[in-house]
């Protein structure tokens, strides 16, 4: 039974300036009007022309579409993509037949600057960290076994939500934490894990009827199903007193101290028994995401290594990438898969319940694979108080600019007042975004199947009150950012495709 508790007060950042056009355009408008007044002393006609042309340009630049983009931004997006295509920077080739020396099939684009580190926590259990060479961050991936909301009482579900809020507040107060992301990856179940689990319970002297019944169960339920993998990724960035990045050994030590309590808090939030992903699990995840057709081979190899007692590691990070990739305007082809990635434009405008987004997170029949990643940026309590107070002043100034205040402006005033009050009580402000990636297998009727997957995703997003738009001209970057590898895109400056600016 789902809880009837509603969640809301989502608020987009309030822009400064006259009617929210931004401080830059507001100052430009003041300069235009000032120049028009000065010129009016000499020639009123030229003054009128300067005012009309200047204010017209400002009005043109301030207009934005439903996705929050101005006309120059849209034009720059198209120009950048065309330049990438002309220079062939939207193409990637690796392997023995590629111009890259060494014959490796390394990961492309922003993934190329990511390396993997294997470490052990205080109990001696192995775990993997991804080091982002461009930003200096380390990402810890935690696999969760969420039990869902089925047959959960209202009070238990509300307690899960409260524990999740407490988890984010705890992370916001931890040293070096920069980002938290939650990824739900749904894909076809190869049946190997289910078959391996059943085999553990088989005995040689079992009755014939029981053996035949178990064989039928394995034959029926090991194919045609779907699996959902939930991964929480926490990103860290450590610096010393002089602002220099910490050494790998120091970063591993500090992150290892956080893992036990992080696992406990995830369990309290309804995430079940969580564990840090090992190097083999991370490499296998990257390999399957880049080449979906390799899923059965990767799982079969891992199963054979486990059954025969061989050390795993048949895959390495340097060979986890695709042999070929191509970034299109609104699609991304990578080996045996074709993907389309969307980004969230606006938060839900109305209050939602715990089941509002269930359809978006569940497997969709039209998608061979689907990945939904929600990214959280957590402000520490001190920064939260400063930001909420500034946001409160912006909302009141925006509301005071209208002779008759709109409901939207009045609602923003109420929300910012409530946020500022909660910040004084110790709450933290959370910025969040969402990326959704749908993948189909390349082959016959791939364009038609990709269109069906697009309609399914956008329909599920509409039911969830989430405004999505495709990552035009940046499909490769969007695909990489949706992976549970902890990319902090706010620290990247790029123009799309495989080239970073």
């Amino acid at each position: 039974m789902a809880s009837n508790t509603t969640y809301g007060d989502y608020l987009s950042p309030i822009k400064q300036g006259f009617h929210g056009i931004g401080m830059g355009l507001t100052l430009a408008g003041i300069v235009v009007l000032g120049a028009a007044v000065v010129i009016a002393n000499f020639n009123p006609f030229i003054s009128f022309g300067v005012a009309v042309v200047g204010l017209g340009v400002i009005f043109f630049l301030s207009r934005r579409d439903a996705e929050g983009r101005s006309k120059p931004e849209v034009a720059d997006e198209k120009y950048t993509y065309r330049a990438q295509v002309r220079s062939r920077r939207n193409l990637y080739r690796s392997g023995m037949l590629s111009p890259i020396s060494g014959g490796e099939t390394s990961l492309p684009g922003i993934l190329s600057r990511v390396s993997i580190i294997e470490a052990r926590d205080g109990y001696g259990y192995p775990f993997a960290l991804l080091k982002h060479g461009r930003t200096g961050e380390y990402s810890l991936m935690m696999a969760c076994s969420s039990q869902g909301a089925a047959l959960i009482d209202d009070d238990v579900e509300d307690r899960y939500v409260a524990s999740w809020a407490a988890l984010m507040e705890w992370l916001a107060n931890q040293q070096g934490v920069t980002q938290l992301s939650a990824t739900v990856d749904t894909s076809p179940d190869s049946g190997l894990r289910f078959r391996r689990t059943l085999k553990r319970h088989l005995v040689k002297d079992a009755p014939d009827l029981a053996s035949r019944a178990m064989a039928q169960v394995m034959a029926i339920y090991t194919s045609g199903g779907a699996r959902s993998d939930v991964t929480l990724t926490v990103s860290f960035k450590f610096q010393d007193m002089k602002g220099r990045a910490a050494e790998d050994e120091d970063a591993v030590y500090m992150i290892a101290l956080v893992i036990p309590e992080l696992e406990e808090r995830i369990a309290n939030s309804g995430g079940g028994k969580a564990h840090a992903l090992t190097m083999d699990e991370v490499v296998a995840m990257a390999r399957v995401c880049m080449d979906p057709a390799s899923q059965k081979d990767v799982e079969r190899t891992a199963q054979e290594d486990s059954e025969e007692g061989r050390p795993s590691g048949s895959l390495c990070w340097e060979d986890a990438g695709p042999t070929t990739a191509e970034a299109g305007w609104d699609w991304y082809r990578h080996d045996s898969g074709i993907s389309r990635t969307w980004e969230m434009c606006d938060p839900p405008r109305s209050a939602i319940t715990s089941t509002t987004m269930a359809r978006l997170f569940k497997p969709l029949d039209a998608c061979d694979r689907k990945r939904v990643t929600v990214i959280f940026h957590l402000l520490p309590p001190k920064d939260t108080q400063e930001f909420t107070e500034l946001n409160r002043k912006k909302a009141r100034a925006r509301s005071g600019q209208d002779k008759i205040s709109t409901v939207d402006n009045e609602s923003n005033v109420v929300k910012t007042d409530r946020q500022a009050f909660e910040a004084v009580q110790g709450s933290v402000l959370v910025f969040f975004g969402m990326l959704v990636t749908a993948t189909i297998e390349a082959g016959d009727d791939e364009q038609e199947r990709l269109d069906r997957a697009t309609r399914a995703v956008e329909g599920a997003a509409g039911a969830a009150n989430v405004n999505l738009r495709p990552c035009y001209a940046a499909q490769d970057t969007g695909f990489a950012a949706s992976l549970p590898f902890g990319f902090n895109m706010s620290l990247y400056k790029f123009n799309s495709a495989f080239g970073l600016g």
Side-chain angles (χ1 to χ4, degrees), residues 180-349:
L180 169 68
S181 65
T183 302
V184 180
D185 197 332
T186 58
S187 60
D189 193 349
S190 64
L192 293 176
R193 293 193 304 176
F194 182 63
R195 189 183 298 271
R196 183 168 61 249
T197 302
L198 287 182
K199 283 185 175 180
R200 295 197 190 105
H201 300 282
L202 295 179
V203 293
K204 296 181 180 180
D205 56 348
D208 181 64
L209 178 60
S211 299
R212 286 190 285 112
M214 290 295 289
Q216 291 180 357
V217 170
M218 294 175 65
I220 295 174
Y221 292 101
T222 56
S223 61
R227 55 183 285 184
S228 295
D229 297 317
V230 182
T231 307
L232 291 184
T233 306
V234 185
S235 297
F236 302 82
K237 188 173 184 178
F238 301 104
Q239 294 178 334
D240 58 16
M241 298 298 293
K242 297 183 179 180
R244 295 174 300 189
E247 297 293 335
D248 292 348
E249 295 78 7
D250 298 331
V252 168
Y253 173 75
M254 288 184 283
I255 293 175
L257 296 177
V258 177
I259 293 178
E261 186 170 357
L262 181 60
E263 292 176 344
E264 180 180 353
R265 289 182 176 271
I266 290 175
N268 294 336
S269 303
K273 182 174 176 56
H275 72 276
L277 292 180
T278 63
M279 177 181 289
D280 295 331
E281 291 174 324
V282 175
V283 173
M285 178 189 297
R287 180 75 181 93
V288 172
C289 288
M290 287 297 173
D291 184 12
S294 66
Q295 177 177 347
K296 288 186 178 180
D297 293 334
V298 171
E299 292 184 0
R300 185 179 297 109
T301 301
Q303 179 180 352
E304 293 174 352
D305 291 342
S306 177
E307 292 176 349
E308 298 181 10
R310 295 195 304 261
S312 56
S314 56
L315 291 175
C316 60
W317 183 252
E318 291 74 17
D319 291 325
T323 57
T324 179
E326 180 179 1
W329 176 253
D330 60 354
W331 50 266
Y332 180 51
R333 182 183 295 271
H334 45 97
D335 278 0
S336 62
I338 302 176
S339 298
R340 178 168 290 162
T341 302
W342 294 260
E343 60 182 335
M344 186 186 75
C345 299
D346 297 306
R349 291 188 173 274

Side-chain angles (χ1 to χ4, degrees), residues 70-88:
S70 64
K71 295 292 184 181
E73 290 174 345
V74 174
D76 179 68
E77 188 177 71
K78 295 180 179 179
Y79 172 80
T80 302
Y81 172 71
R82 290 168 184 166
Q84 298 285 355
V85 173
R86 285 194 300 268
S87 62
R88 301 180 67 83

Side-chain angles (χ1 to χ4, degrees), residues 309-500:
R310 295 195 304 261
S312 56
S314 56
L315 291 175
C316 60
W317 183 252
E318 291 74 17
D319 291 325
T323 57
T324 179
E326 180 179 1
W329 176 253
D330 60 354
W331 50 266
Y332 180 51
R333 182 183 295 271
H334 45 97
D335 278 0
S336 62
I338 302 176
S339 298
R340 178 168 290 162
T341 302
W342 294 260
E343 60 182 335
M344 186 186 75
C345 299
D346 297 306
R349 291 188 173 274
S350 59
I352 64 174
T353 65
S354 60
T355 59
T356 302
M357 295 190 180
R359 181 181 169 191
L360 183 60
F361 284 93
K362 288 181 178 179
L364 298 177
D365 293 336
C367 303
D368 295 334
R369 305 179 67 93
K370 179 174 60 66
R371 183 167 57 251
V372 180
T373 298
V374 185
I375 301 172
F376 304 93
H377 284 262
L378 316 172
L379 281 185
K382 179 181 178 181
D383 296 336
T384 293
Q385 293 184 21
E386 296 177 357
F387 185 89
T388 53
E389 186 62 31
L390 179 61
N391 221 30
R392 179 170 169 269
K393 294 178 181 178
K394 290 180 184 178
R396 292 185 175 276
R398 178 78 177 271
S399 179
Q401 292 173 0
D402 297 324
K403 292 182 179 179
I404 301 178
S405 181
T406 63
V407 175
D408 189 32
N409 288 339
E410 292 180 358
S411 175
N412 288 342
V413 171
V414 174
K415 290 178 182 179
T416 53
D417 286 346
R418 188 180 297 117
Q419 289 177 354
F421 178 76
E422 293 178 353
V424 173
Q425 294 181 322
S427 299
V428 297
L429 192 66
V430 179
F431 296 92
F432 74 97
M434 180 183 294
L435 292 167
V436 181
T437 297
T439 301
I440 64 167
E441 292 186 5
D444 297 336
D445 302 326
E446 57 186 31
Q447 185 59 50
E448 181 180 350
R449 289 186 287 113
L450 183 60
D451 292 339
R452 285 202 299 266
T454 298
R455 290 192 293 269
V457 170
E458 292 178 349
N465 296 327
V466 177
N467 183 18
L468 296 180
R469 68 175 289 264
C471 299
Y472 293 117
Q475 284 291 313
D476 49 350
T477 303
F479 180 89
S482 69
L483 295 172
F485 293 162
F487 280 102
N488 190 347
M489 302 310 296
S490 62
L491 301 181
Y492 281 79
K493 294 181 180 180
F494 52 87
N495 290 326
S496 88
F498 295 104
L500 300 179

Side-chain angles (χ1 to χ4, degrees), residues 45-67:
F45 297 100
I46 296 178
S47 172
F48 179 77
V50 169
V52 170
V53 173
L55 294 179
V57 171
I58 293 174
F59 177 80
F60 174 77
L61 295 176
S62 65
R63 301 302 296 173
R64 296 184 177 273
D65 56 19
E67 298 167 346

Side-chain angles (χ1 to χ4, degrees), residues 1-135:
M1 179 177 176
S3 172
N4 294 321
T5 305
T6 57
Y7 310 95
D9 274 5
Y10 306 113
L11 184 64
S12 298
I14 300 176
K15 294 184 178 181
Q16 292 180 320
F18 182 71
H19 285 278
I21 65 175
M23 187 57 66
L25 291 179
T26 300
L27 294 177
I30 295 175
V31 171
V32 169
L33 292 177
V37 171
V38 173
I39 296 174
N41 296 324
F42 305 96
N43 192 322
F45 297 100
I46 296 178
S47 172
F48 179 77
V50 169
V52 170
V53 173
L55 294 179
V57 171
I58 293 174
F59 177 80
F60 174 77
L61 295 176
S62 65
R63 301 302 296 173
R64 296 184 177 273
D65 56 19
E67 298 167 346
R69 300 177 302 164
S70 64
K71 295 292 184 181
E73 290 174 345
V74 174
D76 179 68
E77 188 177 71
K78 295 180 179 179
Y79 172 80
T80 302
Y81 172 71
R82 290 168 184 166
Q84 298 285 355
V85 173
R86 285 194 300 268
S87 62
R88 301 180 67 83
R89 295 179 64 190
N90 66 321
L91 302 177
Y92 177 79
R93 298 291 184 271
S94 65
M96 297 182 62
L97 301 180
S98 72
I100 302 177
S101 60
E104 296 177 347
T105 54
S106 55
L107 295 165
I110 60 175
L111 290 165
S112 62
R113 296 289 300 276
V114 179
S115 57
I116 193 166
I117 301 173
E118 188 173 28
R120 292 186 177 274
D121 60 16
Y123 298 104
Y125 296 111
F127 69 95
L129 289 177
L130 290 182
K131 181 180 180 180
H132 301 264
R134 189 170 183 84
T135 63

